[in-house]
Amino acid sequence: MQNGDEGPAFARYLILLVEDEVLLRHELAQHLRLAGYEVVEARNGEEAGLLVRTGTTAAVLITDIRMPGSVDGLLLAGYVRRQTPHTKIIIMSGDLPASSGVADAAFAKPLYVAALLAKVQELVGARCHAREQKLA
Amino acid sequence: MPANKSLPDPAVLLVERDVLVRMPLAAYLRDCGYTVIETGGGEEALTALQQDQYRVDVVLTDAELPGALDGFSLAQWVRKNRPEVSMLIAATPERAAAVAGKLCEEGPMLAKPYAHELVADRIRQLIASRRRSDS
């Protein structure tokens, strides 16, 4: 893996995906993996915060805003911005807040996966070796 | 693996509440060639199992799960509703001793903490055994 200008080499194509709805999380993760990215999945803000605290340094955080528990997506985004400033942040929600300034991009649900993938590629670059399309 | 690219990757539904346990195990299984559906509890697992479009070959679940549905209840649901799916239940030795009777009913047992190589080996054996019995 090549080293980039914005973070350690191991993190360049790593995506931390935070979504409490299991089917959407799995589908998004599979699309991102097929595009060649490494994806770490978290079910809520607490799980994602724990992963960040224990060393997961992602190139991109993709997070839902409304999630069960005490850490919503905006709180998580602020935490990640402080802990790993090079991490790009994409938020997604059914109703996007007027103020989502902490994020580098925002997507309304329902998501257009192609648009999300294009944004990820814009933020961190495309993987050269996308996997064979084999979604269930 | 897999040797034949025309076949879909075998799929494992992983049910584990602790993200610091679930994440590295899921990554290891993906490196072994499996498609992994990650869930953190019985209800999430049921949601995935109820989707016809999701292939699941093996459910690997902790015996103790948050919520109303523990690993054994999940295994009973799978046996009744998705009999083609193999079950692999994991538990600490203390928990295993307490539920030995149930394990006889619900299939293979795996000790926690997970040894990743052993988990992959047991999954491979389950899938191979299922394919032999189906042929």
Side-chain angles (χ1 to χ4, degrees), chain A residues 80-132:
Chain A
V80 169
R81 179 65 81 213
R82 291 191 298 277
Q83 296 298 311
T84 56
H86 64 273
T87 298
K88 305 298 184 185
I89 297 174
I90 298 175
I91 59 174
M92 51 188 182
S93 181
D95 50 343
L96 286 173
S99 174
S100 53
V102 71
D104 297 287
F107 285 86
K109 290 182 176 178
L111 287 170
Y112 290 98
V113 175
L116 181 66
L117 282 173
K119 178 56 70 175
V120 171
Q121 290 178 356
E122 176 191 322
L123 291 173
V124 299
R127 292 304 304 264
C128 294
H129 303 294
R131 299 175 192 177
E132 180 184 359

Side-chain angles (χ1 to χ4, degrees), chain B residues 18-42:
Chain B
D18 185 344
V19 68
L20 297 182
V21 174
R22 189 175 69 239
M23 185 268 281
L25 179 56
Y28 181 84
L29 293 174
R30 289 190 184 100
D31 285 345
C32 290
Y34 297 104
T35 294
V36 181
I37 304 170
E38 296 185 45
T39 64

Side-chain angles (χ1 to χ4, degrees), chain A residues 43-111:
Chain A
R43 300 166 56 233
N44 51 48
E46 283 88 352
E47 281 194 356
L50 181 58
L51 288 167
V52 172
R53 280 199 303 282
T54 53
T56 296
T57 305
V60 182
L61 166 71
I62 301 176
T63 182
D64 192 9
I65 292 180
R66 294 179 184 273
M67 293 180 288
S70 60
V71 181
D72 68 12
L74 293 178
L75 199 59
L76 174 67
Y79 176 72
V80 169
R81 179 65 81 213
R82 291 191 298 277
Q83 296 298 311
T84 56
H86 64 273
T87 298
K88 305 298 184 185
I89 297 174
I90 298 175
I91 59 174
M92 51 188 182
S93 181
D95 50 343
L96 286 173
S99 174
S100 53
V102 71
D104 297 287
F107 285 86
K109 290 182 176 178
L111 287 170

Side-chain angles (χ1 to χ4, degrees), chain B residues 63-79:
Chain B
E64 295 183 88
L65 299 171
L69 201 64
D70 68 8
F72 299 108
S73 300
L74 179 63
Q76 288 165 354
W77 187 94
V78 168
R79 172 176 288 186

